Amino acid sequence: MSQLPKNASFHEQVQALFCFLRGHGAALSPLDAELLELWASTQVPFEVVARGMRRCFESRLTGLKQDETLSLPSLRTCRRHVESEIARYLRIHTQPVPSTHTETTDENAEAYAQTRHQRLKKQLLSFAKKHPWAPKTTSRLLEHLGKPADIHQAMHQEILAIFVLAHALPQEEKKKLLEETRQLAKTREALSLEAAKEQWRFFLAFVFKQRFGIRNWG
């Protein structure tokens, strides 16, 4: 995923993320390609679709048995989660009229990013009240979480919050978190060192969210 050029198309980004979650590369089936076109036609940002795809993978991880390998059999597996995220995005922001489509889409994406940013700040404050070890770390986070320029930055802030909080865990809690992450990492064979790093980050964030009941970060 990280090796994609910055100007990669929506279709290329979705396919790259699908290959990462699936665990190996493969051409999309005709039905998957048709579904990808449907998502593209909604004109929502890639990050909205990516969020749904990750949610789908996380839901499959939740029921994973020990030593069981995990992948996504098809892009259609993600349909329910992706279209739920698309619907949520569209509920927050009215679709633009055709004559100003591009400009209004950009405005909608920016407003969506601000909505996520404000929600994250409230959730961090709530998190700090529940966990005695967290107030100092969340306070520093809130000082540095500036207004996001776009959806990508807003979602990056959510992931950053997870990693910073995970690093701040008491030592014994951190050990347990890392061990669970290692066990999950064993269920996947990384195709490269970069893929292994991305898988580790994904699994660590998943374990942290599961441990603390966080459903809507990242």
Side-chain angles (χ1 to χ4, degrees):
M1 292 186 299
S2 58
Q3 296 179 2
L4 279 177
K6 291 183 179 180
N7 62 346
S9 69
F10 174 87
H11 294 70
E12 290 171 334
Q13 292 180 84
V14 170
Q15 290 184 70
L17 178 57
F18 174 62
C19 288
F20 166 72
L21 295 176
R22 188 172 188 178
H24 58 82
L28 295 182
S29 70
L31 289 176
D32 280 349
E34 182 179 333
L35 180 59
L36 177 52
E37 289 298 332
L38 177 64
W39 292 345
S41 71
T42 66
Q43 300 278 336
V44 301
F46 160 72
E47 286 79 9
V48 175
V49 171
R51 187 181 180 85
M53 292 173 68
R54 289 193 294 269
R55 288 291 173 273
C56 175
F57 191 76
E58 289 174 347
S59 71
R60 294 169 67 82
L61 271 177
T62 302
L64 191 66
K65 298 178 181 178
Q66 189 172 9
D67 298 326
E68 182 182 359
T69 57
L70 177 69
S71 67
L72 291 175
S74 71
L75 191 63
R76 283 164 289 142
T77 308
C78 305
R79 182 166 192 164
R80 179 173 64 85
H81 291 83
V82 168
E83 294 185 358
S84 175
E85 290 296 332
I86 291 175
R88 183 175 293 109
Y89 176 86
L90 297 181
R91 280 198 302 271
I92 294 174
H93 303 292
T94 305
Q95 282 293 278
V97 295
S99 60
T100 59
H101 185 80
T102 301
E103 293 180 4
T104 313
T105 297
D106 291 341
E107 292 173 1
N108 286 347
E110 182 179 355
Y112 181 79
Q114 297 311 315
T115 299
R116 298 212 62 81
H117 177 64
Q118 294 302 321
R119 185 177 299 165
L120 175 62
K121 291 199 297 184
K122 291 179 181 178
Q123 291 169 331
L124 283 171
L125 288 171
S126 176
F127 189 92
K129 292 177 181 178
K130 295 177 182 177
H131 306 287
W133 55 268
K136 187 175 180 180
T137 300
T138 54
S139 178
R140 289 199 302 266
L141 268 170
L142 289 167
E143 288 178 4
H144 291 88
L145 291 180
K147 180 180 178 181
D150 51 32
I151 292 179
H152 176 77
Q153 189 174 351
M155 294 189 176
H156 174 73
Q157 289 181 347
E158 294 173 351
I159 294 296
L160 176 64
I162 290 173
F163 291 147
V164 170
L165 289 170
H167 182 72
L169 279 170
Q171 194 61 29
E172 286 303 313
E173 283 294 306
K174 190 186 298 184
K175 285 182 180 179
K176 292 178 182 178
L177 181 79
L178 293 176
E179 181 56 32
E180 288 183 46
T181 302
R182 290 191 192 96
Q183 292 301 319
L184 274 179
K186 290 180 181 179
T187 68
R188 299 291 295 276
E189 180 180 353
L191 301 178
S192 67
L193 178 60
E194 185 61 31
K197 291 179 180 178
E198 290 191 16
Q199 286 179 14
W200 177 266
R201 289 191 290 265
F202 182 92
F203 288 135
L204 189 147
F206 169 77
V207 172
F208 184 90
K209 288 189 287 185
Q210 288 289 106
R211 177 74 61 84
F212 293 101
I214 297 170
R215 294 181 176 273
N216 53 359
W217 293 6

